[in-house]
Amino acid sequence: MKKEQFILALDQGTTSSRALVVNHAGEVVAVSQLEFRQIYPKPGWVEHDPMEIWSTQSATEAQALGKADLRHKDFAAIGITNQRETTVVWDKKTSKPIYNAIVWQDRRTANYCAKLKDQGLEQKFRDKTGLLLDPYFSGTKLRWILENVEGAREKAEAGDLLFGTVDSWLVWKLTDGEVHITDATNASRTLLYNIHEQKWDEEILEILDIPKAMLPEVKGSSEVYGHSTKGVPIAGIAGDQHAALFGQACFERGMAKNTYGTGCFLLMNTGEKAIRSENNLLTTIAWRIGDKTEYALEGSVFMGGAVVQWLRDEMQLVNSAEECSELASQVPDAGGMYLVPAFAGLGAPHWDPYARGACVGMTRGTNRKHYCRAALESIAFQSADLAECMTKDSGIEMKELRVDGGASRSVPLMQFQSDLLGVDVVRPENVETTAMGAAYLAGLAVGFWESKEDIKSRQAEGARFQTERSKDEMGKLTDGWKRAVERAKNWEINDEES
């Protein structure tokens, strides 16, 4: 009898590295997690030490194997999912990074992005990459390293430097410098990849002055890229939000998932068609498997679960997220109050960096329960705004919303989200959807799971929230939300002008 095999999923996130052991039934049998340093050299700058990313990731792998009492020979494949857009440049000969990883949150290239916009180049970038000209993405971070690290430009021109997002860096280290690749999902977040022609874009590389020799080979999201030094096939890669979409089995056109973390990331599978957004959403590759590429529309909420952290840490109205949910459930509504958490401006579809937080509609009877309720409702309102944009862009009516992330545990939030959208909100039993997506992609590549149907059969529903309130009632609340958002917009710029 053949000994049972497993999949190792490496989940390299923004604040921690994790490793999960997954069995054939799609169950997580062991988890290990280690946090690493966040480095802030200047206001608006965010960095990680690539060697620390690697050391924590390899340590969690060893710990997870120890917890499960397994050896590397017990694994059919390794899958990787990662924080997206974070940029690493290393020396090809020594495998040593020449600078810290510049994190997706970093804003140091904002002025350069503004300069490119002033040159009328944003539409060109949007048409080719599906992305906005923003410091969020990898391309301008890579250019900054070449321009600002001594000797980097010369070494890159000589073919001695390599660039990669975190997935590429991990594969390089796992294979001891044998394999320099990325997958289509991570490539599609660099601002350098033509998502329609499926290749690095020569014209964009010329504009940003980036040598093509630095770039990894772009592979599918589910194939064997090489073997780790321990002999295990590395067989699946996807950026974290794409992996969560796959982990939620959103395999059909129109299926959508929302991850409720610090921010919220709503992705809708648009099938084999890349839909250009008219509502400031991003067009991105969902995954590429074999010769088939599927696309997604993506919208981001800057302040999701972070609103609850604000209530806890700054306002000190609650001691935990659980207490916030409990208090919110004790009132039927927010008593006419709206909280617009534009603490760092507004993301899609507004993209207003001058918006600031606003709380409107308070009365003498407003109390902390109403604040908790309004905070949770603000997360749902922002997500509903994205869903509305996706429907307009795609012409696809959302049938249900699959959810994951820490704040998806809040019953009043999930219920209100269902009422707002008028569709069922479904939370899986296993909320490790990001790591599961990486595991499934790797398992598919090596025949550990036979097909998407096989994966779908392993999805267990944890909770389903169905619409309880009328469309008219929710329409009135949405109108109030939109009025509140208008009051939050342009706040800082108006203040400066006065």
Side-chain angles (χ1 to χ4, degrees):
M1 184 178 162
K2 194 180 176 187
K3 194 180 175 190
E4 185 183 4
Q5 286 218 295
F6 300 85
I7 301 288
L8 177 65
L10 303 181
D11 182 357
Q12 206 298 302
T14 308
T15 58
S16 68
S17 298
R18 306 167 77 231
L20 296 88
V21 176
V22 179
N23 67 16
H24 192 260
E27 298 162 336
V28 177
V29 297
V31 184
S32 175
Q33 179 168 349
L34 288 171
E35 292 189 359
F36 54 86
R37 283 181 307 146
Q38 306 296 303
I39 303 163
Y40 307 105
K42 293 182 183 179
W45 291 28
V46 190
E47 297 177 359
H48 294 154
D49 178 348
M51 296 308 293
E52 208 175 332
I53 287 176
W54 167 241
S55 64
T56 53
Q57 191 65 79
S58 53
T60 60
E61 176 186 332
Q63 288 171 7
L65 265 65
K67 284 181 182 180
D69 193 22
L70 296 171
R71 303 292 173 266
H72 284 94
K73 62 182 170 54
D74 299 318
F75 289 86
I78 296 169
I80 296 171
T81 184
N82 55 285
Q83 53 166 317
R84 302 177 301 172
E85 297 96 15
T86 294
T87 300
V88 189
V89 176
W90 64 93
D91 187 296
K92 190 176 180 179
K93 293 171 184 164
T94 66
S95 294
K96 287 185 178 168
I98 65 160
Y99 189 77
N100 276 339
I102 303 182
V103 181
W104 59 272
Q105 298 155 317
D106 189 282
R107 306 299 293 174
R108 76 185 66 185
T109 64
N111 289 340
Y112 179 65
C113 289
K115 187 176 157 191
L116 293 173
K117 286 180 191 174
D118 290 343
Q119 291 169 12
L121 290 169
E122 178 150 56
Q123 198 55 49
K124 186 185 291 289
F125 277 85
R126 287 207 75 174
D127 289 345
K128 289 168 176 276
T129 70
L131 308 175
L132 299 164
L133 261 178
D134 193 271
Y136 182 23
F137 305 109
S138 316
T140 59
K141 301 180 198 301
L142 170 53
R143 181 188 178 277
W144 187 94
I145 289 173
L146 293 177
E147 295 292 317
N148 291 277
V149 175
E150 193 177 344
R153 170 70 62 192
E154 293 73 21
K155 288 187 82 172
E157 299 287 357
D160 293 334
L161 294 186
L162 298 178
F163 152 77
T165 41
V166 170
D167 57 304
S168 300
W169 170 241
L170 291 179
V171 171
W172 181 263
K173 295 299 283 181
L174 283 164
T175 61
D176 197 21
E178 288 292 316
V179 180
H180 183 221
I181 57 100
T182 188
D183 91 297
T185 70
N186 281 293
S188 78
R189 311 298 295 189
T190 60
L191 206 63
L192 307 173
Y193 190 68
N194 190 313
I195 62 171
H196 311 289
E197 296 178 6
Q198 303 272 323
K199 62 181 186 181
W200 298 117
D201 194 281
E202 304 276 359
E203 187 181 10
I204 285 177
L205 293 177
E206 197 175 316
I207 291 168
L208 298 182
D209 199 11
I210 290 169
K212 192 177 178 184
M214 297 183 76
L215 307 182
E217 184 183 353
V218 182
K219 299 280 200 174
S221 308
S222 180
E223 60 179 275
V224 176
Y225 314 107
H227 290 71
S228 75
T229 53
K230 308 289 187 185
V232 186
I234 305 165
I237 298 175
D240 52 13
Q241 302 308 322
H242 316 257
L245 191 70
F246 199 85
Q248 287 272 31
C250 293
F251 300 147
E252 291 159 37
R253 184 172 174 269
M255 293 184 77
K257 72 90 198 171
N258 197 17
T259 298
Y260 296 81
T262 302
C264 294
F265 293 89
L266 179 58
L267 272 74
M268 176 190 273
N269 183 335
T270 62
E272 293 180 67
K273 185 179 179 187
I275 294 172
R276 294 167 196 255
S277 176
E278 301 298 323
N279 293 280
N280 286 322
L281 302 179
L282 304 177
T283 306
T284 195
I285 291 175
W287 46 73
R288 186 167 89 209
I289 299 175
D291 57 2
K292 186 176 175 183
T293 300
E294 293 180 68
Y295 294 88
L297 281 169
E298 176 176 330
S300 307
V301 168
F302 293 163
M303 288 285 161
V307 189
V308 177
Q309 292 170 344
W310 171 75
L311 280 186
R312 183 193 67 195
D313 300 340
E314 272 68 49
M315 301 300 285
Q316 297 185 5
L317 290 179
V318 294
N319 293 312
S320 65
E322 292 75 19
E323 186 184 7
C324 179
S325 256
E326 175 59 31
L327 288 167
S329 65
Q330 291 172 23
V331 287
D333 52 48
M337 182 174 80
Y338 293 89
L339 173 60
V340 183
F343 306 133
L346 286 167
H350 313 284
W351 295 106
D352 181 355
Y354 301 108
R356 286 297 175 266
C359 196
V360 298
M362 285 180 286
T363 67
R364 180 65 182 81
T366 301
N367 60 40
R368 71 182 182 133
K369 292 177 184 176
H370 295 117
Y371 262 91
C372 291
R373 182 88 201 180
L376 295 180
E377 288 185 357
S378 76
I379 302 170
F381 277 126
Q382 292 178 95
S383 297
D385 286 346
L386 297 179
E388 184 185 351
C389 291
M390 283 186 181
T391 299
K392 284 180 186 170
D393 279 336
S394 66
I396 306 167
E397 286 292 336
M398 199 180 284
K399 305 248 183 337
E400 69 175 24
L401 180 66
R402 299 188 174 186
V403 299
D404 53 66
S408 71
R409 295 190 187 95
S410 169
V411 171
L413 170 56
M414 293 299 100
Q415 184 56 57
F416 190 75
Q417 190 73 83
S418 174
D419 291 336
L420 260 186
L421 295 174
V423 300
D424 288 6
V425 167
V426 184
R427 186 176 65 210
E429 197 172 276
N430 177 5
V431 294
E432 296 280 7
T433 54
T434 304
M436 288 309 302
Y440 286 143
L441 286 164
L444 265 184
V446 297
F448 188 79
W449 291 293
E450 290 176 17
S451 63
K452 287 181 179 176
E453 289 305 314
D454 189 9
I455 289 167
K456 211 185 285 185
S457 71
R458 295 169 202 289
Q459 300 287 310
E461 195 174 291
R464 180 176 289 264
F465 301 88
Q466 296 179 306
T467 305
E468 293 177 352
R469 295 161 78 174
S470 74
K471 201 172 180 179
D472 283 350
E473 184 187 358
M474 300 314 292
K476 285 172 187 165
L477 287 173
T478 300
D479 289 343
W481 165 254
K482 289 183 173 170
R483 285 167 55 215
V485 168
E486 287 306 313
R487 281 161 172 75
K489 281 183 175 178
N490 289 316
W491 184 263
E492 192 175 272
I493 199 167
N494 288 341
D495 187 47
E496 287 169 0
E497 285 171 356
S498 66

